[in-house]
Amino acid sequence: MKKRLNCWEYMKCGRQPGGDKVKELGVCPATTEKKFDTVNKGTASGRFCWSVAGTYCKGRVQGTFAMKFEDCANCSFFKLVNDEEGREFVMLEKNIRKK
């Protein structure tokens, strides 16, 4: 099975803990937000980043889900996760199955 990439690996943003852009841009909350750990088979919120405020896209920090979702829906990473997960794809927090 092909390794599922997290957003920081796919985007090569350097905002993961220890990344080369942390001093300049800060640590991305998707890399540390454990609330969505394992959603879409990601680490922390790495495959559910569209639901985390404060991610970085298009040269600026993004706001809440409602403010950024249109950009996220057009993102190549969002589309990749959707394709890889197929029918198991989780787009919204309310659709997360409780373990």
Side-chain angles (χ1 to χ4, degrees):
M1 177 189 244
K2 183 179 154 193
K3 179 184 182 323
R4 302 281 209 252
L5 297 175
N6 290 293
C7 57
W8 58 89
E9 296 165 317
Y10 179 85
M11 303 301 279
K12 296 179 176 43
C13 66
R15 291 189 65 207
Q16 71 279 13
D20 61 349
K21 297 284 186 170
V22 170
K23 283 187 180 180
E24 177 186 348
L25 302 171
V27 172
C28 179
T31 68
T32 59
E33 174 57 71
K34 302 291 186 191
K35 180 178 179 182
F36 303 121
D37 191 45
T38 72
V39 172
N40 293 319
K41 299 180 187 77
T43 300
S45 296
R47 290 176 63 86
F48 202 59
C49 49
W50 51 89
S51 289
V52 180
T55 57
Y56 197 77
C57 186
K58 295 187 176 183
R60 66 186 194 284
V61 173
Q62 300 287 300
T64 64
F65 176 78
M67 294 170 60
K68 70 179 196 164
F69 185 69
E70 185 175 340
D71 286 339
C72 294
N74 291 309
C75 174
S76 61
F77 179 69
F78 177 89
K79 292 174 182 178
L80 173 73
V81 174
N82 189 352
D83 288 345
E84 288 179 342
E85 299 309 316
R87 294 177 50 98
E88 299 298 315
F89 176 68
V90 178
M91 182 171 68
L92 303 171
E93 185 174 353
K94 70 179 186 176
N95 299 123
I96 297 173
R97 292 190 186 128
K98 303 295 180 200
K99 294 177 183 175

